[in-house]
Amino acid sequence: MSLIETITFSNLDNGSANLFAFENHKNIPFEIKRVYCIMDAGSNSRGFHAHKMLKQVAVCLKGSCRFVLDDGSIKEDNISLNSPAKGLLLHEMVWHEMHDFSKECVLLVLASEKYDESDYIRSYDEFLKVAQHA
Ligand code: TYD
């Protein structure tokens, strides 16, 4: 079994540009309630948390970065995102980390809920305890 679930987005422009659309319940498997983006991350890795309920789709609009996903029993540590045509599903209760941001990286994240700090699990030990009792 793999934790890697991706969505392929089509380029909708038939001219010289790139145009990608993200639609609720069409190519995104939930209702989008929040959109955020990460850029200029420098050499810092990010994430290092899981969410109790939140589902997300991450899309690297420009540049590249590497995701680590871990559900408490399986770990995928070399998931490369480098195209606006590829979305990575971040399910609830999956520990995720983002590393190796390229200088120009623009990472878009579509989220199923508004921001709620109480939905975060930021301790890996606590995550393992909750995941192993799920
Ligand atoms: P965090 O989710 O920890 O970032 P990352 O996963 O990239 O390491 O968020 C960093 C900070 O930004 C934290 O203080 C919470 C805040 N934040 C919001 O206020 N709203 C948001 O939608 C997000 C994603 C973060």
Side-chain angles (χ1 to χ4, degrees), residues 10-109:
S10 303
N11 185 354
L12 302 175
D13 195 75
N14 44 24
S16 58
N18 288 319
L19 194 161
F20 293 91
F22 311 107
E23 276 190 57
N24 294 340
H25 298 297
K26 193 172 171 187
N27 53 12
I28 301 299
F30 50 74
E31 191 182 338
I32 301 162
K33 295 208 180 128
R34 177 166 53 106
V35 176
Y36 62 93
C37 69
I38 297 171
M39 54 198 123
D40 302 321
S43 56
N44 295 325
S45 294
R46 304 191 60 95
F48 299 94
H49 60 251
H51 289 281
K52 295 173 194 163
M53 305 290 284
L54 188 73
K55 295 178 197 302
Q56 303 184 96
V57 173
V59 187
C60 194
L61 296 181
K62 215 166 181 56
S64 61
C65 63
R66 176 175 64 88
F67 270 76
V68 173
L69 299 183
D70 176 347
D71 71 356
S73 50
I74 302 171
K75 184 169 179 171
E76 303 280 359
D77 61 9
N78 196 18
I79 307 167
S80 175
L81 280 194
N82 56 11
S83 162
K86 177 175 164 184
L88 178 66
L89 271 151
L90 307 175
H91 286 288
E92 67 274 30
M93 286 308 295
V94 174
W95 184 264
H96 51 280
E97 302 171 9
M98 294 91 94
H99 302 275
D100 304 338
F101 286 92
S102 68
K103 194 171 169 13
E104 72 280 28
C105 181
V106 177
L107 182 67
L108 179 78
V109 184

